[in-house]
Amino acid sequence: MGRKSEPAIHSGLGEAVQYHIRCKRGDVGHYVFLPGDPDRVPKFAKYWSAAREVSSHREYRVWTGELGSVKVSACSTGIGGPSAAIAVEELARIGAETFIRTGSCGAIQPKVKCGDLIICTGAVRLDGTSKQYVRVEYPAVASHDAVQALVEACEQLGVRYHVGVMATSDSFYVGQARPGFRDYEPSWSKDLIPDLQKVGVLAFEMETSVIYVLASLYNLRAASICAVYANRLTGEFVEGAGEEECIKVANEAITLLNKWDEGSRRRKK
């Protein structure tokens, strides 16, 4: 006897609606931006035409519009791997194919300044969610063409950026070597930042490794670009620094990817 493979609710019209994001096929484009913060979603739409809010449920806020001639969407993921995985799972079920995480991060290298952007080529899997899908030795890596589109967009817009590896943690506090409540601090956390620095990791964030692993497993395309809000070494913190530039770059990268995709289709490659 078969079983249902996707949790869905049904509208009065009998159309399957994804349980968490409250969207159905046709509601989102093939290209989707994945900010964490629901309040960041409408900020993408400033650069679109015919933008509209499709749904808003829990941490998931979805807008869809047109960027030039291409249909695009933005869906907030909330904070951390579990909610990001739900977003990717349900968006993929209704036709999304390319994901650009557009978030924030805290730098752990002295050369990275607040307001800079980081394009993530791969992520250290300090999360727990991706381990539910595949063994820990499986890499969390970006799609090459999506990374190239983000680099090209940064160059065109003249923003300061870095390219490299970030670390994804499920914990904002102890898991990123911050003291917990009442200064709780396990012994291993004292070595976490120095160890990651030595191998060139640029920053901490909380969703990318999960998005990359799921995209690889499901033959989807994903990349991540984050604005640097803080530098953990210098103590500098500027909330919102680089956010607008990050959104502009992500929009331009999707424009480039669509152009390249159309060229590939014409050449039947």
Side-chain angles (χ1 to χ4, degrees):
M1 184 176 178
R3 62 185 179 88
K4 287 188 175 181
S5 61
E6 60 182 78
I9 60 176
H10 291 80
S11 71
L13 299 176
E15 299 165 314
V17 176
Q18 296 303 306
Y19 181 71
H20 297 90
I21 64 172
R22 292 295 201 263
C23 295
K24 62 184 182 300
R25 188 169 289 274
D27 283 341
V28 301
H30 295 309
Y31 303 93
V32 181
F33 302 98
L34 296 177
D37 184 356
D39 288 340
R40 199 176 294 144
V41 171
K43 297 178 182 180
F44 286 87
K46 293 191 301 183
Y47 303 97
W48 307 346
S49 59
R52 64 186 179 92
E53 184 171 73
V54 177
S55 66
S56 182
H57 182 243
R58 299 188 182 186
E59 60 265 65
Y60 305 106
R61 189 177 188 183
V62 181
W63 281 49
T64 292
E66 293 183 0
L67 181 59
S69 61
V70 62
K71 183 177 180 179
V72 295
S73 298
C75 174
S76 55
T77 64
I79 298 174
S83 58
I86 288 171
V88 172
E89 287 275 8
E90 296 190 1
L91 287 163
R93 284 163 162 76
I94 57 174
E97 298 174 348
T98 295
F99 300 95
I100 302 293
R101 161 156 163 71
T102 313
S104 59
C105 64
I108 59 172
Q109 297 291 347
K111 66 180 179 181
V112 183
K113 310 300 182 184
C114 287
D116 289 357
L117 305 183
I118 297 178
I119 299 167
C120 183
T121 56
V124 181
R125 291 172 56 193
L126 302 181
D127 73 278
T129 304
S130 67
K131 298 178 179 67
Q132 302 293 311
Y133 283 84
V134 66
R135 60 190 301 159
V136 295
E137 293 84 0
Y138 190 86
V141 293
S143 303
H144 292 242
D145 53 350
V147 167
Q148 185 58 44
L150 288 168
V151 170
E152 181 65 25
C154 284
E155 290 287 342
Q156 289 183 12
L157 295 174
V159 301
R160 180 178 161 91
Y161 70 98
H162 309 266
V163 180
V165 174
M166 292 199 286
T168 299
S169 171
D170 278 340
S171 165
F172 182 80
Y173 291 100
V174 175
Q176 296 184 33
R178 294 182 177 94
F181 179 56
R182 292 177 177 164
D183 292 327
Y184 172 74
E185 190 174 13
S187 59
W188 56 261
S189 71
K190 295 179 176 65
D191 295 325
L192 180 58
I193 289 178
D195 286 350
L196 292 173
Q197 284 179 300
K198 289 174 184 176
V199 295
V201 174
L202 297 175
F204 281 113
E205 58 83 66
M206 298 185 69
E207 292 83 26
T208 295
S209 65
V210 176
I211 295 167
Y212 282 7
V213 167
L214 267 63
S216 294
L217 293 178
Y218 297 154
N219 196 29
L220 303 169
R221 178 165 57 185
S224 175
I225 183 167
C226 292
V228 177
Y229 281 11
N231 187 296
R232 299 291 302 283
L233 304 183
T234 65
E236 184 184 13
F237 173 69
V238 184
E239 185 175 5
E243 179 186 74
E244 192 67 27
E245 290 79 6
C246 195
I247 291 170
K248 289 179 181 178
V249 166
N251 274 293
E252 181 60 27
I254 290 298
T255 299
L256 290 168
L257 279 172
N258 180 62
K259 179 181 178 181
W260 298 346
D261 290 346
E262 288 181 345
S264 294
R265 285 190 289 268
R266 284 196 300 269
R267 297 191 301 272
K268 296 182 179 180
K269 292 187 177 180

